[in-house]
Amino acid sequence: MGNVLASSQKDCGFPTLPPLPPPEQPQAAASGTGGLAPDKVENPGTMEDLHKRCKDVYPVNFEGARVLVNKGLSNHFQVSHTINMSSVTPSGYRFGATYVGTKQCGPNEAFPVLFGDIDPSGNLNANLIHQFGRRLRARFHSQIQGGKYLVSQFTGDYKGDDYTASLTLANMDVLNDTGVIVGQYLQSVTPRVALGVELAYQRSPQMPGGHLAILSLGARYIGNDYMCSGNIGAAGLHLCYYQKASEQLHFGVELETNIRIQESIASVGYQIDLPKADLSFKGLADSSGNVGAVLEKKLVPLPFTIALSGLINHSKNNFKLGLGFVAGG
């Protein structure tokens, strides 16, 4: 949540105040060929976003009724009110706020960015993103549930001209000797090929031997209108393929294999955008029997968006339906 990729290497500190952007912004498409593939070696982004373009094609299904009201108070501050009614996730009200600072680092990027939400019981999700200079970016995420710190995670990204090195520290507790450390490195080898490595280390007295380390390797190839990515390690295999059929139609294919439980799941996702109708449709189908879709329709010229979600599992005879309403930008 809240991972904002750098879309340029411009110096920070411009005095121009940008309009308030959403907390998460997609990575800009590479320039030079009119397609996906860049014409020179560029920064490959982070290892965390290796499969992002394929993942963005898949719908995010929800269940029940959801009402979201956004209100921009200024160019830098926005608040939101969310009411959720569901039999799967906790129902109730959440208040959210987003602040974007004045330090501009790109056409659509400004820092620091603070955003989060809280419910009447005090359960809190908080995020902080800040850019230090041209190359270093820090992200902090914290989650409080039931009066206890459930998640506390810090990530630092250093972005070179043709590589990105990242370090993540999660739930670090020196007194109890627990925590997770993840190191990632992604290197652009050619304009089309990027190779990466990830080392995850977890320490806990409850684990056999007291600690565990997992090494995985990743790769990505960018074509003119498609992208292949994958990573393999001791935990399993993850492969993704993204295809841009046209400006309105996008496809994604994903294969996930878990070696420990000896299970594989293959899925196909697609996205249809109809700008003239202000409509977006995403669908998926996987080998475990799930078939789902999400339809979003903007009610122009009104600042309203309606979302309809459906997910059915044929093997388990389970169906979930969701209806969402968004007011404001």
Side-chain angles (χ1 to χ4, degrees):
M1 182 177 184
N3 186 21
V4 184
L5 282 179
S7 60
S8 69
Q9 293 292 339
K10 296 184 179 180
D11 291 333
C12 301
F14 294 121
T16 304
L17 303 184
L20 183 68
E24 298 188 8
Q25 301 176 26
Q27 184 179 13
S31 61
T33 62
L36 298 177
D39 56 0
K40 61 180 180 178
V41 176
E42 298 177 348
N43 182 279
T46 62
M47 188 75 172
E48 180 183 4
D49 293 326
L50 190 68
H51 309 294
K52 186 178 186 302
R53 195 175 292 273
C54 178
K55 289 285 190 180
D56 287 344
V57 174
Y58 285 75
V60 180
N61 291 97
F62 60 95
E63 190 267 347
R66 182 179 302 172
V67 178
L68 173 61
V69 179
N70 294 316
K71 176 63 176 179
L73 303 181
S74 69
N75 286 341
H76 305 283
F77 193 65
Q78 174 180 296
V79 297
S80 65
H81 307 272
T82 304
I83 299 177
N84 184 47
M85 293 172 285
S86 172
S87 60
V88 179
T89 59
S91 301
Y93 166 79
R94 297 190 74 91
F95 172 79
T98 300
Y99 171 78
V100 178
T102 60
K103 186 178 182 180
Q104 188 171 355
C105 298
N108 296 312
E109 289 185 326
F111 297 95
V113 179
L114 296 88
F115 60 98
D117 57 70
I118 188 171
D119 65 13
S121 300
N123 299 321
L124 173 70
N125 288 302
N127 298 269
L128 169 63
I129 306 172
H130 192 51
Q131 181 92 10
F132 300 92
R134 295 176 58 246
R135 300 187 182 275
L136 183 60
R137 179 170 300 180
R139 295 171 286 159
F140 178 75
H141 169 66
S142 180
Q143 182 177 351
I144 299 176
Q145 194 81 19
K148 298 181 180 180
Y149 278 96
L150 191 63
V151 177
S152 179
Q153 178 176 310
F154 172 82
T155 300
D157 300 323
Y158 182 83
K159 299 193 175 185
D161 294 333
D162 58 358
Y163 69 92
T164 299
S166 303
L167 179 65
T168 299
L169 307 176
N171 296 340
M172 302 298 294
D173 190 339
V174 179
L175 298 179
N176 296 321
D177 196 22
T178 61
V180 177
I181 302 176
V182 180
Q184 299 174 328
Y185 181 84
L186 187 61
Q187 172 76 54
S188 290
V189 181
T190 70
R192 295 177 181 264
V193 178
L195 301 178
V197 61
E198 176 185 272
L199 178 61
Y201 177 80
Q202 183 177 3
R203 191 170 184 85
S204 175
Q206 287 77 29
M207 298 179 60
H211 59 90
L212 175 67
I214 299 177
L215 178 67
S216 62
L217 304 176
R220 182 180 63 201
Y221 179 84
I222 303 178
N224 291 331
D225 56 0
Y226 67 93
M227 178 182 296
C228 305
S229 58
N231 59 293
I232 184 171
L237 175 68
H238 189 188
L239 300 176
C240 286
Y241 176 81
Y242 164 81
Q243 176 71 54
K244 180 181 179 182
S246 66
E247 293 296 332
Q248 293 79 30
L249 182 59
H250 308 261
F251 289 99
V253 180
E254 185 176 16
L255 173 64
E256 289 188 87
T257 300
N258 191 314
I259 298 177
R260 184 175 59 86
I261 62 177
Q262 296 184 353
E263 181 184 56
S264 295
I265 297 179
S267 62
V268 178
Y270 59 94
Q271 177 180 350
I272 302 174
D273 294 320
L274 301 177
K276 293 184 178 181
D278 296 299
L279 185 144
S280 176
F281 183 86
K282 294 183 178 182
L284 71 87
D286 63 30
S287 58
S288 62
N290 290 311
V291 178
V294 172
L295 173 68
E296 293 185 1
K297 168 66 176 177
K298 294 182 179 180
L299 304 180
V300 179
L302 301 176
F304 300 140
T305 301
I306 293 180
L308 181 62
S309 171
L311 179 65
I312 184 171
N313 188 300
H314 293 281
S315 59
K316 298 180 181 179
N317 196 24
N318 186 18
F319 178 71
K320 298 177 181 179
L321 179 66
L323 177 63
F325 179 80
V326 180

